[in-house]
DNA sequence: CCCTTTATTTAGACTTAGTTTAAATTTAGA
DNA sequence: TCTAAATTTAAACTAAGTCTAAATAAAGGG
C-alpha cells in the first residue's frame, strides 16, 4: 500500500497551520506561502486543506465570516471571538456532561459533536476601550 | 418621523419565517413565495431578511451548510442538527451560568453572546436506522 | 391634491469562497 | 525502466449573497 499522502505542498500547508496561533483562513495560508517564497496553486491549497482535515491532522472551523479557518490543535476544544478586534481564542474549559445529558433528554437526539462559538470582548480591547473613554 | 418599514414584501417574508418550523434558508423562502404565487425580487428577499434581522423581528442562523437560515423565535435558544436527515431542532435548555463564568475566567473575555450548535442523531433517525439494521 | 423628497424595489452585474474539470506532472512500485 | 495511480495545476464554474443604478412607491409640506 502507498502511504505517501503528505506531499511537499501538503507538508508546507500543514506546517503553516501548525505554527499559526491565529486559526488562519485559506487566504491567510496563501499569503504566508507567498511570504515564504513558495508557490502552490490556489486549488492545491484548498485540496490540501481538505486532505489534511480528512486525515484528522487539522480541523476546519466555521466561525465568524464566510471563510473557514483551520486549526492544528486536535484536542477537544471550543472558540471565542472578540467582537471588537476579531481575534479568535481557545476555550479549553470542558462542556458540563450533565448539561449535555439534559439537552439529549430535551431533544431526543444523541449528541455526537458540539460546535460552540462564544463572542465577547477580549481583555486587551476592554483595556484600550477604557483608556479611550477616560 | 416615518415608520412604514414593514412593507408588503417584508411582511410576506416575515410571515413565511414566522410560520415555518424548519429554520428556512433564503432559497427556501423564495420557493415558498413562488408557491404562494407571490413575486418578490431575489435582491428584495435578501434585503428584507437583513432588514427584519436588524429590526430584531427575526434572527439569522449560521448552522451547517453555506446558506444562512432564519428563525422568528426570538427567545434565547440554541440549535441541534441531525447528521442523518439534516433536520434542525431547538435547544431550549439554558446554558449553565457558572460554566460561562469559568470560560470568562479562562479566556479573559467578557462574553456577550453564545452561538452553540450541537450535532447528533434525532430520535426518528435512530429508530429507522435500528429497523434497517434488524 | 400636487409636488418634491426619501424610502423601497427591481434586474442584473459583481464579489467571495470554494469546487470541478481536464491536462500536465510526479511518484510508486513491478 | 516503464506503466499506472496519485497529485498538482490553471482555468472554468458554482453558490450565496452584495452592490449599483434605474424605476416605483410612499410621505408630507404647501
Ligand atoms: Mn483552536
Ligand atoms: Mn430556532
Ligand atoms: Zn479584542
Ligand atoms: Zn434525523
Amino acid at each position: 500500500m502507498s502511504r505517501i499522502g503528505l506531499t511537499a505542498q501538503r507538508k508546507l500547508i500543514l506546517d503553516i497551520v501548525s505554527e499559526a496561533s491565529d486559526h488562519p483562513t485559506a487566504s491567510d495560508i496563501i499569503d504566508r506561502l507567498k511570504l515564504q517564497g513558495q508557490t502552490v496553486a490556489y486549488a492545491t491549497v484548498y485540496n490540501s486543506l481538505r486532505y489534511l482535515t480528512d486525515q484528522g491532522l487539522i480541523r476546519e472551523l466555521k466561525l465568524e465570516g464566510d471563510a473557514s479557518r483551520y486549526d492544528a490543535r486536535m484536542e477537544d476544544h471550543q472558540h471565542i471571538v472578540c467582537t471588537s478586534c476579531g481575534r479568535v481564542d481557545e476555550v479549553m474549559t470542558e462542556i458540563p456532561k450533565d448539561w449535555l445529558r439534559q439537552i439529549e433528554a430535551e431533544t431526543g437526539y444523541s449528541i455526537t459533536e458540539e460546535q460552540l462559538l462564544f463572542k465577547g470582548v477580549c481583555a486587551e480591547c476592554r483595556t484600550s476601550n477604557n483608556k479611550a473613554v477616560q
Side-chain angles (χ1 to χ4, degrees), chain A residues 15-111:
Chain A
D15 286 349
I16 287 172
V17 178
S18 298
E19 263 134 58
S21 59
D22 62 343
H23 305 88
T25 63
S27 150
D28 293 333
I29 291 165
I30 290 169
D31 291 346
R32 290 172 204 186
L33 284 167
K34 285 217 186 90
L35 276 176
Q36 292 179 12
Q38 299 290 350
T39 158
V40 178
Y42 178 82
T44 301
V45 174
Y46 281 101
N47 290 342
S48 299
L49 288 168
R50 188 147 25 112
Y51 169 89
L52 294 169
T53 302
D54 290 348
Q55 296 297 308
L57 297 172
I58 64 175
R59 96 175 34 177
E60 182 183 7
L61 308 176
K62 305 224 180 184
L63 311 176
E64 286 289 282
D66 305 323
S68 287
R69 288 168 169 269
Y70 294 88
D71 194 344
R73 285 234 174 121
M74 295 305 286
E75 318 107 272
D76 197 19
H77 71 280
Q78 304 298 335
H79 296 91
I80 187 162
V81 51
C82 178
T83 52
S84 170
C85 67
R87 63 177 287 171
V88 175
D89 283 291
E90 317 289 20
V91 172
M92 305 304 298
T93 307
E94 266 203 58
I95 304 172
K97 291 276 181 302
D98 53 325
W99 179 54
L100 288 180
R101 294 303 145 269
Q102 229 179 309
I103 294 171
E104 290 187 324
E106 179 201 349
T107 60
Y109 279 65
S110 59
I111 296 175

Side-chain angles (χ1 to χ4, degrees), chain A residues 111-129:
Chain A
I111 296 175
T112 55
E113 195 187 333
E114 304 89 27
Q115 253 179 39
L116 314 188
L117 176 62
F118 300 90
K119 298 190 195 180
V121 186
C122 75
E124 290 77 51
C125 284
R126 274 210 312 288
T127 307
S128 54
N129 219 44

